[in-house]
Amino acid sequence: MRLEPLDRRHVADLAVAVEEERDSYGFTWVPTAAEVEGYVEAQLGRAAAGTLAPYAQVDRASGRAVGVTAFWDPRWWPAGDGLFAVEVGFTWLAASAQGTGVNTEAKYLMFRHAFENWEVARLDLKTDARNGRSRAAIERVGARFEGVLRNWSTSWAPGEEGRLRDSAIFSITAAEWPDCREQLEQRIARDLERRSPTPA
């Protein structure tokens, strides 16, 4: 897969992606097809304000956007001369892209950029504490569980409008990145080998 800065040209693909099986979206808000255009506009507005850097996750084989992800919550050194931490979030994938290795590849690219280009000291990931599927996926990409922050943010679970959720917090530090990078590269190589057609 590849990451492309989110753009209005991705709206049509994402509108198709969100209308696949939606059972895995129980703890996160994912727009419907009718909401995708407004969702992209809102993300672009956050990008213009400097609070978010959103990307489309694009399947190389088809050239279609199959989900989104973003850097957000940038934290700057007191002198203002660079980031010391950033979060990866606002992530969702079409059902057909889940479990295919797309998430692993996207996280690898984002982690590598954060640690090797921005030279952050820390990278964060969060999810609803009840979301076992998301927590397992975060652990699989090498992040360490730090704990649960109670009543930390707005709940996105259906029927919980106006309520707060407990958030499970994970992180990777700069000292951990070399080992994490090696593990991710090995995992990506295995996934690519598994998806490659077997010679006749």
Side-chain angles (χ1 to χ4, degrees):
M1 58 81 61
R2 66 176 180 265
L3 295 174
E4 297 178 358
L6 186 65
D7 188 86
R8 294 174 183 89
R9 72 179 183 277
H10 297 120
V11 167
D13 287 348
L14 294 175
V16 173
V18 297
E19 290 306 309
E20 295 183 8
E21 176 58 56
R22 294 178 61 91
D23 285 352
S24 64
Y25 303 151
F27 292 103
T28 189
W29 184 78
V30 176
T32 63
E35 295 169 328
V36 165
E37 185 173 3
Y39 169 84
V40 169
E41 290 297 331
Q43 296 295 72
L44 294 177
R46 295 182 182 103
T51 60
L52 187 79
Y55 295 90
Q57 299 183 76
V58 177
D59 175 69
R60 281 185 179 273
S62 67
R64 296 180 60 182
V66 296
V68 297
T69 191
F71 288 115
W72 78 293
D73 192 20
R75 278 102 75 203
W76 301 85
W77 290 105
D81 56 355
L83 291 173
F84 74 85
V86 70
E87 183 168 338
V88 172
F90 286 89
T91 301
W92 56 264
L93 280 171
S96 60
Q98 295 174 23
T100 64
V102 167
N103 180 61
T104 304
E105 292 181 43
K107 292 296 191 294
Y108 170 74
L109 292 172
M110 297 187 80
F111 295 175
R112 191 176 71 183
H113 187 79
F115 286 114
E116 298 179 15
N117 291 82
W118 291 337
E119 298 183 338
V120 297
R122 170 190 172 93
L123 187 142
D124 307 328
L125 300 100
K126 291 199 303 279
T127 190
D128 191 305
R130 300 166 293 179
N131 192 343
R133 180 176 183 154
S134 178
R135 290 176 66 158
I138 292 171
E139 289 180 339
R140 281 196 301 271
V141 295
R144 293 191 183 185
F145 175 62
E146 294 188 330
V148 173
L149 299 179
R150 298 177 297 166
N151 289 345
W152 180 252
S153 61
T154 302
S155 174
W156 297 107
E160 294 187 358
E161 292 78 9
R163 293 174 56 183
L164 297 175
R165 77 175 196 188
D166 295 345
S167 293
I169 308 298
F170 298 78
S171 71
I172 302 168
T173 66
E176 295 163 348
W177 170 238
D179 286 343
C180 179
R181 174 175 177 159
E182 182 177 356
Q183 292 173 21
L184 286 172
E185 289 174 346
Q186 290 173 357
R187 186 173 166 193
I188 290 168
R190 288 194 300 269
D191 286 344
L192 291 172
E193 184 177 353
R194 177 173 50 83
R195 295 198 303 266
S196 297
T198 304

